[in-house]
Amino acid sequence: MANLLDLDTTSEDINYDPNNLLDTLINQLHLKNDAALSRALEVAPPVISKIRHRRLPVGASLLIRMHEISDLSIKELRNLMGDRREKFRISDAQFKPKP
């Protein structure tokens, strides 16, 4: 399964920490835990767990949903998780049909 945003372990991504983003959202929204955050974001609880354990990247649609419920800008949300890239590059493989 191809990810929308490739998370290479290059020097740029060493500071990537989705936990900071999730913890900040929990605090800002006055939620108790990840389960409450998953309900607020309207995603299944395992999605939050997979993001915390870095098995799933924060996708564009989830980032937009975080923006909608928190009133933080997309740039602020990206900074919270350590993503300071100026541009996103989508892999060519994502536009090719599956064999």
Side-chain angles (χ1 to χ4, degrees):
M1 182 162 123
N3 295 326
L4 282 179
L5 304 175
D6 293 331
L7 295 177
D8 299 328
T9 54
T10 59
S11 60
E12 288 181 11
D13 296 325
I14 291 173
N15 296 326
Y16 174 73
D17 183 12
N19 293 322
N20 186 41
L21 171 62
L22 298 175
D23 292 340
T24 301
L25 287 173
I26 287 171
N27 289 332
Q28 182 177 352
L29 299 172
H30 307 291
L31 302 172
K32 290 185 178 185
N33 52 33
D34 286 352
L37 180 61
S38 71
R39 287 190 294 273
L41 293 171
E42 299 176 0
V43 297
V47 171
I48 302 298
S49 176
K50 287 177 183 177
I51 290 171
R52 276 210 188 270
H53 293 95
R54 298 180 187 197
R55 291 191 309 259
L56 183 69
V58 177
S61 60
L62 186 58
L63 200 60
I64 290 169
R65 183 69 184 132
M66 289 174 175
H67 162 69
E68 291 172 346
I69 68 169
S70 70
D71 289 330
L72 293 171
S73 72
I74 299 293
K75 187 170 188 163
E76 289 171 317
L77 293 167
R78 287 178 43 218
N79 280 333
L80 284 170
M81 68 178 156
D83 183 359
R84 291 173 177 80
R85 295 175 293 173
E86 292 297 318
K87 295 181 181 179
F88 289 105
R89 289 179 174 73
I90 298 176
S91 168
D92 292 337
Q94 292 171 310
F95 297 107
K96 294 181 182 175
K98 293 182 180 180

